[in-house]
Amino acid sequence: MKGRVVLCISALIAILFSSYSNLVMTPVNADATENYPLSTVITNPYSLEGSSSISYSNDGNIVAIAFYQSVAIFETTHRTFIKEINIGNTVLYVTFSADDSILFVGLESPYMSTLAMSLFDTDSWERIGVNEDGKEVTDISVLPNSEIFASPNEGFGINEYTFSDSSNEIFSYNGEHSDAVTCLDHTPDGQYIITGGVDGNIFVWNRTNQNVAEYQGERLHWPTEFEISDCSVSPDGTQFAWTANSLLQVRSIPDGSYVTSLVLEGFAEQLEWSITSNELWIRTQTSSPKILVLNATTFDVINNFDIGHKVQKFAISPTNDEFIVTSASSHISIFSANRWAPYLGMVGLDTDEDGIP
């Protein structure tokens, strides 16, 4: 009897060990939270206002973050805030010139006499240009390899300006949208500019004559049922995408031929292409904010980030496997594929694993 008890106990232990081994050793598919875990949450020391628009510099060294009526400059190597620029108007958008010499700031401009945009030199952080044509500048596009940029105007269209003269437009694209322009983007070759609006229309404009572009006699124009929330051209210039409500549509350049349409779960609010154009990132809002990462060839979902807190905007690092999200609070969250170690090699025990001995 004793031998049977021992045998039964041994068998039970073997079964439990086998179950435990299966639990531990069974491979699982990696998801987004495993690929980009939360790295840190940083608090703006200058203001308690909510964080909104955000942009990395093209070299990845600094980040500009809008906090109500100011822009805070964040240095990425040591992950510290180094500067606050007081704007005086509500900041809606921030972006950098291709050489990172200029910071463009889009503003809320409820009156004709108030500023719609400011330009800042990134060495001195002094303001070097202004613009008054625009009501809500929610997007600014800088033409690659040039000193030209574009922004929405007050006439339901867009204007282009030069870096040296940001107050007087050189080209205007008007007469097609029936409501405010919400997004715009140049093609890398400088031949076209794409606009989307509150009226639900997407247009591709020919920059040679400032008219809607045509391909084989057909105007490159697509109406949708809902407001265009965002639109963007891939960095390699082969595709452009837009979102409206839960719809994502992708078309090719320059013919505008159909590539794909997807009905997403939730409302799609922001698009970002990866710097190599191989991924399309989409911020959606359902019961909680999510960021979908699509393969830009098959448009299959390859990552799905459930952020877990309110998100206003996100920005992808051009140099590291990380992204930052703003939270409508004084905090920003950084998600990184690699553990942050700015002081790697320094003597000391990093007990809290924050990268600092």
Side-chain angles (χ1 to χ4, degrees), residues 115-353:
L115 293 182
M117 187 191 312
S118 293
L119 283 64
F120 293 87
D121 180 278
T122 56
D123 286 329
S124 64
W125 299 112
E126 296 294 327
R127 192 173 70 182
I128 58 173
V130 296
N131 184 284
E132 294 184 358
D133 194 355
K135 293 182 179 179
E136 293 186 348
V137 179
T138 55
D139 202 356
I140 299 168
S141 177
V142 181
L143 178 63
N145 303 313
S146 77
E147 294 192 351
I148 294 174
F149 68 95
S151 63
N153 60 33
E154 295 178 2
F156 303 154
I158 63 171
N159 295 337
E160 287 185 315
Y161 307 88
T162 62
F163 293 1
S164 59
D165 187 357
S166 59
S167 297
N168 298 296
E169 69 270 17
I170 55 172
F171 298 118
S172 293
Y173 305 78
N174 295 314
E176 297 291 348
H177 286 287
S178 60
D179 210 326
V181 170
T182 55
C183 64
L184 66 155
D185 204 5
H186 287 93
T187 58
D189 61 10
Q191 294 187 36
Y192 305 99
I193 188 167
I194 293 164
T195 62
V198 174
D199 59 6
N201 287 296
I202 285 284
F203 292 98
V204 177
W205 302 81
N206 188 326
R207 292 192 63 250
T208 302
N209 55 20
Q210 294 80 58
N211 293 324
V212 175
E214 296 185 1
Y215 186 80
Q216 295 182 347
E218 295 292 328
R219 292 189 356 137
L220 301 184
H221 162 229
W222 298 274
T224 65
E225 186 178 354
F226 301 100
E227 173 183 336
I228 305 299
S229 52
D230 202 2
C231 55
S232 182
V233 178
S234 61
D236 64 7
T238 62
Q239 301 183 111
F240 64 99
W242 72 85
T243 50
N245 197 281
S246 61
L247 173 69
L248 165 72
Q249 187 159 139
V250 183
R251 290 185 175 267
S252 64
I253 298 172
D255 57 358
S257 61
Y258 175 85
V259 176
T260 192
S261 288
L262 298 175
V263 177
L264 306 170
E265 181 183 356
F267 184 81
E269 297 181 322
Q270 182 185 356
L271 292 173
E272 297 289 337
W273 296 89
S274 64
I275 194 168
T276 58
S277 302
N278 65 328
E279 295 174 349
L280 180 60
W281 293 47
I282 309 169
R283 179 173 59 87
T284 64
Q285 180 67 46
T286 54
S287 57
S288 64
K290 300 179 186 294
I291 296 177
L292 302 178
V293 184
L294 307 182
N295 180 304
T297 301
T298 64
F299 292 95
D300 295 327
V301 177
I302 56 177
N303 267 333
N304 185 352
F305 303 91
D306 195 345
I307 301 301
H309 63 73
K310 187 172 183 178
V311 176
Q312 293 290 97
K313 291 289 180 68
F314 73 92
I316 309 168
S317 170
T319 55
N320 298 313
D321 289 331
E322 70 177 30
F323 65 94
I324 300 180
V325 301
T326 62
S327 62
S329 71
S330 60
H331 311 295
I332 61 169
S333 300
I334 304 176
F335 296 82
S336 179
N338 303 306
R339 196 173 83 182
W340 181 57
Y343 303 100
L344 185 65
M346 288 182 65
V347 176
L349 183 62
D350 183 14
T351 54
D352 59 358
E353 297 187 351

